Amino acid sequence: MAEPKLTIEFLMQRYYNDMIRLACSILRDPAEADDAAQAAFIAAARGLDSFEGRAEIRTWLYRITANTCLSLLRKRRARQALQHALAGVQALLGGGSSLEEQ
């Protein structure tokens, strides 16, 4: 039996739900997990021609999805740190009005 041609459509049909579950387990946010899985498939589509087959396609997709999620977590932590710092500055400057007003 011939192996199906690897297209992004085929991969999405076959592995999308697995990638959503993986992303959700990492991010703990279904909406963000959906965005991450979509971003991972975009990255996979861009790199599909360079896939050499040394690993299983599912393993390759899992790695792309995990890396995408880790990148989102880093951005989330940076955003939270910035918000925390801005709240501290606002408290030091008088608290009541917004930082933009001051």
Side-chain angles (χ1 to χ4, degrees):
M1 183 170 171
E3 227 85 2
K5 184 172 184 324
L6 290 180
T7 64
I8 201 62
E9 293 83 11
F10 170 78
L11 295 176
M12 286 188 77
Q13 287 174 356
R14 184 147 185 199
Y15 298 109
Y16 192 75
N17 289 334
D18 293 337
M19 299 307 113
I20 289 283
R21 278 192 294 280
L22 173 63
C24 205
S25 73
I26 295 170
L27 299 171
R28 306 273 185 226
D29 179 338
E32 200 171 24
D34 189 51
D35 291 343
Q38 289 177 30
F41 274 104
I42 290 169
R46 289 183 179 139
L48 194 56
D49 289 340
S50 65
F51 177 70
E52 297 175 359
R54 288 184 284 176
E56 293 290 325
I57 192 75
R58 185 172 186 235
T59 304
W60 182 69
L61 289 171
Y62 263 59
R63 188 73 262 159
I64 293 171
T65 303
N67 287 341
T68 300
C69 290
L70 294 174
S71 177
L72 288 172
L73 285 174
R74 282 190 293 275
K75 289 176 186 175
R76 183 193 294 171
R77 278 191 291 263
R79 186 173 43 252
Q80 289 170 342
L82 179 59
Q83 288 171 341
H84 180 71
L86 289 174
V89 168
Q90 187 175 3
L92 288 173
L93 293 175
S97 57
S98 73
L99 190 57
E100 292 82 13
E101 290 171 356
Q102 295 176 8

